[in-house]
Amino acid sequence: MTQITLRPLFSLLVLLLSLCAFAVADAATPDLAPRQDAGASTTTAAIAAAAPTGNPNSPLCVDYARVANLSTVALNITYRAAFMRSSPLGTFAARSIIDAEKPKLAGMMMDAQLNGACGNLSQAAIDGAAANLTAGFVLGLPIQEAVGIEVLSPVLPIISVAMILIMGGTFISL
């Protein structure tokens, strides 16, 4: 009796499906247009010279304000905890958003040209974060209550005893 092997046919089918997936992915990708002029100067000195003093709408000042706000939340444990539990993205994505900006803040705070053009946005971020926290907001999000069982709740000892009995019973039965 002869045995028919389907392995080459299956391999060919997988190859064809993978090629179709690449073709669909390539067709679904839109053509991207550059957001900025490639010839534009983006150095701190050029933007500070082009922007009038105290212009909060210049790209450099907007970036400085964003970095200052996110770093203020990242570096203060109270603000950080409030943002982590209030973020709709989840803790890992929320942490990566605020932690990515921390290293940039020190250089921006020490840049005299940047502070001359934009003002002291790091101090403004600290003051704004404190005011927002007392108003019940962090980075524009309403602060959510912490989820879980309160420590003084009568449910906590009942659940603890039940878990000890279940886990202990499982261990003893082995």
Side-chain angles (χ1 to χ4, degrees):
M1 182 169 171
T2 62
Q3 183 177 3
I4 299 174
T5 307
L6 297 177
R7 185 172 299 222
L9 183 62
F10 182 72
S11 298
L12 181 64
L13 180 65
V14 169
L15 177 67
L16 288 175
L17 287 176
S18 65
L19 291 175
C20 290
F22 284 126
V24 168
D26 188 39
T29 304
D31 293 331
L32 300 176
R35 294 186 299 163
Q36 296 174 344
D37 183 14
S41 176
T42 58
T43 63
T44 305
I47 293 177
T53 304
N55 182 6
N57 295 326
S58 71
L60 195 61
C61 293
V62 170
D63 186 48
Y64 182 24
R66 181 183 53 80
V67 169
N69 286 328
L70 291 175
S71 298
T72 299
V73 171
L75 295 172
N76 186 315
I77 193 67
T78 304
Y79 303 150
R80 184 182 183 92
F83 178 69
M84 296 290 258
R85 75 171 172 250
S86 300
S87 173
L89 302 173
T91 55
F92 291 124
R95 188 189 72 211
S96 68
I97 289 171
I98 59 177
D99 286 345
E101 303 301 330
K102 281 192 302 188
K104 299 177 188 176
L105 182 64
M108 289 181 157
M109 287 174 64
M110 298 302 159
D111 191 350
Q113 290 178 338
L114 179 64
N115 285 314
C118 301
N120 190 358
L121 294 179
S122 58
Q123 186 60 43
I126 292 169
D127 296 340
N132 286 339
L133 186 71
T134 56
F137 290 93
V138 61
L139 290 178
L141 299 172
I143 298 174
Q144 303 293 324
E145 291 295 321
V147 296
I149 300 172
E150 294 182 22
V151 178
L152 300 177
S153 171
V155 176
L156 186 63
I158 295 170
I159 291 176
S160 299
V161 169
M163 288 179 64
I164 290 171
L165 290 175
I166 291 170
M167 298 305 252
T170 305
F171 181 72
I172 291 173
S173 67
L174 295 175

